[in-house]
């Protein structure tokens, strides 16, 4: 939820009840819902919130989202809450997944990346190809260093466990894992992350790094050396990782 003293915008409300509770607690009017992709854990609360508040619903052009919704695709800009969000196409997790980027919210950029870029990881490829996901992550990785990454799930610690087995000698990663473990032990979220941090620690943004390529090819020696082959094998490694 993004809010000021009177208004709020929520992203990917999987349930309505926690949003209603936050609106009531803050005395807030829900102005809009932003939806990154069609999965129920991101849209389950949309219909009830819209019915109760009449808020705008803004979602991906090519995916089913509870109606009535305004449909947007990459290159569009969305004005909500006095802020301008750029829409970025990020297919891979789903075929029509979008992300929302605002260059300045309270002095720093903000990106809502849904289930495409997580802290320390990326979404599973349910509807898209490794090539699409790699291109989508490249688009997000090109945002400014100080972009705050607001992703769809707090999967950070399990992602970092995998990242450490890919890059056991990455000291930035080890430091980040310690910080995140302390956050979780104190009952706090690890999110939002920073894009500069993700570039240093997230193996899915580092799949062209020699250490990552070598690790993938040690794990799966038959992996093709091209960047899409490496990325696909890295994603498969994560799928099987426990
Ligand atoms: Zn999803
Ligand atoms: Zn999700």
């Amino acid at each position: 939820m993004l809010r000021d003293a009177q208004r709020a915008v929520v992203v990917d409300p999987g349930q309505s009840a926690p949003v209603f509770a936050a609106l009531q607690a803050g005395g807030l009017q829900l102005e809009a819902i932003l939806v990154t992709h069609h999965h129920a854990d991101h849209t389950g609360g949309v219909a009830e919130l819209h019915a109760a508040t009449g808020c705008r619903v803004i979602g991906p052009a090519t995916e089913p989202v509870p109606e009535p919704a305004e449909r947007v695709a990459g290159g569009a800009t969305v004005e909500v809450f006095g802020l301008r969000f750029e829409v970025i196409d990020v297919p891979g997790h789903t075929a029509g997944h979008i992300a929302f980027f605002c260059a300045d919210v309270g002095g720093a950029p903000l990106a809502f990346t849904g289930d495409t870029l997580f802290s320390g990881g990326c979404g599973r490829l349910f509807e898209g190809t490794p090539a699409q996901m790699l291109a989508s992550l490249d688009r997000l990785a090109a945002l400014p260093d100080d972009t705050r990454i607001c992703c769809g799930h707090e999967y950070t610690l399990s992602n970092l466990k995998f990242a450490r087995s890919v890059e056991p000698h990455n000291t930035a990663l080890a430091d980040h894992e310690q910080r995140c473990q302390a956050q979780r032990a104190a009952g706090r979220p690890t999110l939002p992350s920073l894009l500069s941090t993700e570039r240093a620690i997230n193996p899915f943004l580092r799949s062209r790094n020699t250490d990552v390529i070598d690790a993938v090819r040690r794990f799966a020696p038959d992996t093709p050396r091209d960047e899409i082959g490496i990325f696909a094998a890295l994603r498969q490694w994560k799928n099987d990782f426990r």
Side-chain angles (χ1 to χ4, degrees):
M1 174 181 279
L2 265 179
R3 54 166 291 184
D4 62 17
Q6 291 92 32
R7 304 169 299 169
V9 175
V10 293
V11 184
D12 287 356
Q15 302 176 334
S16 60
V19 180
F20 282 126
L23 293 172
Q24 193 160 31
L28 302 169
Q29 178 73 38
L30 184 61
E31 186 166 300
I33 298 172
L34 305 180
V35 177
T36 63
H37 68 295
H38 69 86
H39 285 159
D41 59 325
H42 298 251
T43 58
V46 171
E48 286 166 18
L49 289 166
H50 177 264
T53 67
C55 68
R56 293 167 69 193
V57 178
I58 299 156
T62 59
E63 297 197 354
V65 170
E67 299 293 347
E70 300 166 42
R71 306 310 192 126
V72 293
T77 57
V78 174
E79 306 248 359
V80 281
F81 199 57
L83 298 172
R84 252 174 102 81
F85 285 89
E86 290 170 37
V87 179
I88 304 170
D89 281 328
V90 287
H93 176 70
T94 61
H97 199 306
I98 56 174
F100 295 91
F101 170 73
C102 184
D104 188 357
V105 180
L110 192 64
F112 295 114
T113 62
D115 286 357
T116 298
L117 175 62
F118 296 126
S119 182
C122 75
R124 283 178 185 259
L125 302 178
F126 287 121
E127 298 174 10
T129 64
Q132 283 178 319
M133 185 56 121
L134 181 59
S136 295
L137 292 175
D138 284 345
R139 253 168 247 141
L140 295 175
L143 294 174
D145 268 349
D146 58 344
T147 302
R148 291 163 292 172
I149 303 295
C150 301
C151 50
H153 299 274
E154 168 72 63
Y155 290 159
T156 311
L157 287 186
S158 73
N159 286 338
L160 294 179
K161 191 174 160 204
F162 172 71
R164 291 267 277 152
S165 57
V166 177
E167 289 194 277
H169 306 300
N170 181 334
T171 52
L173 172 57
D175 293 348
H176 185 65
E177 186 179 34
Q178 281 200 344
R179 278 193 301 274
C180 290
Q181 282 168 341
Q183 287 288 100
R184 297 305 287 151
R188 288 193 290 266
T190 65
L191 306 169
S193 184
L194 278 181
L195 187 58
S196 55
T197 301
E198 295 307 313
R199 286 205 203 93
I201 62 100
N202 188 326
F204 295 95
L205 296 187
R206 298 170 57 77
S207 64
R208 298 177 184 92
N209 177 291
T210 314
D211 288 347
V212 175
I213 294 170
D214 290 347
V216 168
R217 288 181 51 81
R218 270 195 303 279
F219 178 77
D222 296 336
T223 302
R225 289 172 186 279
D226 67 283
E227 62 182 29
I228 293 164
I230 296 290
F231 182 84
L234 180 66
R235 185 56 256 186
Q236 187 59 45
W237 182 3
K238 174 71 163 63
N239 291 350
D240 300 336
F241 184 79
R242 293 289 175 273

